[in-house]
Amino acid sequence: MLFVVAVLVAAVLFGTTGTAQALGPEGTTPFAVGTARLLVGGAALALVGLLIGSRGRRREPAAAPPVRARALALMALTGLCLALYQPLFFLGTARNGVAVGTVIALGSAPVLAGLLEWLLTRRRPTASWLLATGLATAGVVVLAAAGGGATGADAVGVLGSLGAGASFAVIANAQRRLIAGGWDAFTVSGAMGAGAAVCGLMMLPFADMRWIIEPQGVAMALWLGFATVALAYALFTWGLGGLSAATAATLTLAEPLTASLLGVLLLGERLGPLAVSGLVVLAAGLVLLALTSRARRNPDPTPLEA
């Protein structure tokens, strides 16, 4: 039960990201907010993940894989993609609203991750995966066609959210290969955080961070960094140790649900009928993807589960 609660809390924390940005001070930009989240969250995640990972290697030194150039390159790639994810995600929520922007990003991520894995491994997808992909893609198309403003999604916002989903797809595939090569999940997550923090430092000179001196700015940066990155990823990684991948994937559907509810309840967002129908279709695809990801017909995990 504790593992279930851990993953569920992590998903809820992930789902507060867009709302925290929307409730922050005026004058912020997606680039600046993403930079702050990378600096605070990346550094904290690196500290937690690498410390826990090093303790595990000391307990079982024989199990530690050798440090090779390929592994280092994959770890650096995850940090870079996490850095790219931030401004793209916040661009999507700023242009489309928290509910629609978050769901497009999250709905596209498993689809794009599966397509990338198919391209890399040539493993043919199952009929259930194709059906789930079709539903999720149809939901994204309906949301994009719903129009701009508060009732739907505009083109720039859709591209931003899809870019965030693509960034996560690369992270998922890279992390899966690292874990399959013998690296423990905490070390992989910690390395991603370290790389993301370095990217944040490189982005800092180009970001307008004047808002961070305001009380709202400090609170938003700390919440986004510690809660939605460091704590959320630590809880999620720990929870995966006691749950099946299908169960964990289903529990993470609390993230778009949280984002949608917060967008409507706290931010006053209103979704038109077409946008609501798109959310329903997209949710159906996500649920089907989660429920069939570890069926007997598809015994190998999808990149989302790695």
Side-chain angles (χ1 to χ4, degrees):
M1 185 61 183
L2 287 178
F3 295 117
V4 172
V5 173
V7 173
L8 190 58
V9 171
V12 171
L13 289 173
F14 289 144
T16 67
T17 301
T19 300
Q21 187 268 340
L23 293 175
E26 296 183 1
T28 63
T29 64
F31 186 82
V33 174
T35 299
R37 191 182 187 213
L38 286 173
L39 287 172
V40 178
L45 179 61
L47 180 63
V48 173
L50 294 178
L51 279 178
I52 296 176
S54 64
R55 289 180 180 178
R57 288 193 299 274
R58 285 198 297 269
R59 287 195 299 266
E60 299 182 53
V67 179
R68 302 185 186 278
R70 180 176 179 272
L72 293 177
L74 288 174
M75 290 179 183
L77 180 61
T78 61
L80 176 61
C81 287
L82 184 58
L84 291 173
Y85 181 94
Q86 308 307 317
L88 291 172
F89 175 83
F90 289 121
L91 174 63
T93 57
R95 296 294 292 260
N96 298 327
V98 172
V100 174
T102 301
V103 172
I104 292 177
L106 297 176
S108 64
V111 175
L112 294 173
L115 291 174
L116 181 58
E117 184 190 40
W118 186 11
L119 178 65
L120 293 174
T121 66
R122 304 297 182 184
R123 191 184 76 185
R124 296 184 62 182
T126 63
S128 60
W129 186 89
L130 288 172
L131 178 58
T133 299
L135 284 172
T137 303
V140 172
V141 171
V142 170
L143 283 169
T151 60
D154 64 23
V156 175
V158 169
L159 289 176
S161 295
L162 290 176
S167 299
F168 180 80
V170 175
I171 290 173
N173 276 276
Q175 287 187 330
R176 176 174 183 176
R177 278 153 180 76
L178 286 167
I179 293 173
W183 293 92
D184 70 276
F186 284 105
T187 298
V188 170
S189 296
M192 179 178 67
V198 170
C199 290
L201 283 174
M202 297 174 64
M203 295 161 57
L204 187 59
F206 306 98
D208 183 359
M209 305 296 292
R210 287 175 292 181
W211 52 269
I212 205 167
I213 63 175
E214 302 178 27
Q216 279 183 296
V218 174
M220 181 182 70
L222 292 177
W223 178 265
L224 289 176
F226 287 110
T228 71
V229 175
L231 178 59
Y233 274 105
L235 285 172
F236 185 76
T237 304
W238 180 77
L240 282 175
L243 298 173
S244 68
T247 299
T250 302
L251 290 172
T252 58
L253 294 177
E255 181 178 355
L257 177 61
T258 300
S260 298
L261 290 176
L262 290 177
V264 173
L265 296 176
L266 296 184
L267 304 179
E269 295 182 354
R270 299 178 62 184
L271 303 178
L274 191 57
V276 172
S277 65
L279 291 174
V280 172
V281 174
L282 179 51
L286 289 173
V287 171
L288 180 60
L289 184 67
L291 294 178
T292 61
S293 60
R294 277 294 181 92
R296 291 188 179 185
R297 297 176 297 174
N298 183 25
D300 295 324
T302 66
L304 180 64
E305 301 169 348

